[in-house]
Each structure stands twice: as structure tokens, then as C-alpha cells.
Amino acid sequence: MVSREDVGSWLEGTPTGGEDGRGGRLGLPPDGPGSMATVGRRVVALCIDWLLSMLVSYLVFDANSMATLGVFAVENLLLVSTLGYTVGHRVLGLQVRVLGGEGRMVGLWRGLVRTVLLCLVVPAVVWDGDGRGMHDKAAGTVIVRA
């Protein structure tokens, strides 16, 4: 007969054993600076960026929805490519980093891939086992706590 110990529980952690924690397979620390950003922080940062984009769209483009998306895309492309964070990321203490490149700038190419896929929405809400969105996975980036 199969017992609970044979099957395990979701309380025991990730399928890889649980000792690595979120981002452990990516070589990131389990907590503190440089650790994977939680979903809650990422969603709040996204909301801040979207609200700022809506404000700019309202003031400049008469609240056109495509203009809002365009402002959001330009903000993400320019700020993530050059600084490594958007306004929302900065407010919540998050940073976009190149996976495996501690001090490397995200750069225009990775920023463009990430922004286009983020604006398509679906790749951003589909995550891998480490909690990275497909837009980050395709760009070779990860969102971490600063």
C-alpha cells in the first residue's frame, strides 16, 4: 500500500527537492538581494508602470489605448535596456538582470525581445518551473530583488 511518505506533499517544496528554493537552479540565492522577485512584487510593479503609462497617454494622446501600450513599451525598452529597471521595479526594489551576468547591462537587443513579448501578454503570464515568465526566459533575463 502507498503511504503519504511515498507520495510527498506540496508542503515539502519544489519537485527538485526543495533545498534550492526559488531560483536555486538558476544560481540565485534563496532570499535577500539577488534572489528571485516574488510574483506579488512583480505584479505591483507592473501596475505602477501601467498606471504611469495611462497617465502619459491621458495627458498627451487623449487616453488612446494603443498609445498607452506604446508608452508602456517605450518605458520598458528604454529603462530596462539602459538602467535594468522600470519605475515600478525601482519603487519595489526590483531589477532585471542578465542571467549569469552579474554586472552586465541588459542591453537593447535583450530589452527589445523582452518588451515585445511582455506587450503580447501571454508569454509574460506563462512561467517555467523557476517562476520566470517566457518573456524573461527568451531574453535570457531574470527579475531579482535589488
Side-chain angles (χ1 to χ4, degrees), residues 21-101:
R22 266 180 76 105
R25 290 185 290 190
L26 302 174
L28 301 174
D31 54 11
S35 65
M36 286 279 296
T38 61
V39 174
R41 281 181 180 234
R42 294 187 308 203
V43 168
V44 172
L46 176 70
C47 290
I48 290 170
D49 291 331
W50 189 257
L51 288 172
L52 288 174
S53 299
M54 286 176 60
L55 178 64
V56 170
S57 174
Y58 177 77
L59 295 174
V60 179
F61 300 106
D62 199 29
N64 183 308
S65 60
M66 289 306 290
T68 302
L69 182 62
V71 170
F72 179 79
V74 168
E75 177 209 14
N76 267 274
L77 176 62
L78 294 178
L79 294 180
V80 169
S81 296
T82 57
L83 301 175
Y85 50 81
T86 64
V87 174
H89 291 151
R90 185 68 172 175
V91 168
L92 289 166
L94 304 178
Q95 185 176 23
V96 180
R97 290 189 185 160
V98 175
L99 190 61

Side-chain angles (χ1 to χ4, degrees), residues 90-129:
R90 185 68 172 175
V91 168
L92 289 166
L94 304 178
Q95 185 176 23
V96 180
R97 290 189 185 160
V98 175
L99 190 61
E102 186 69 26
R104 288 182 35 206
M105 205 168 63
V106 173
L108 191 58
W109 178 246
R110 288 179 198 272
L112 180 64
V113 169
R114 187 179 185 282
T115 299
V116 167
L117 293 175
L118 179 64
C119 289
L120 290 174
V121 178
V122 173
V125 297
V126 176
W127 301 325
D128 66 3

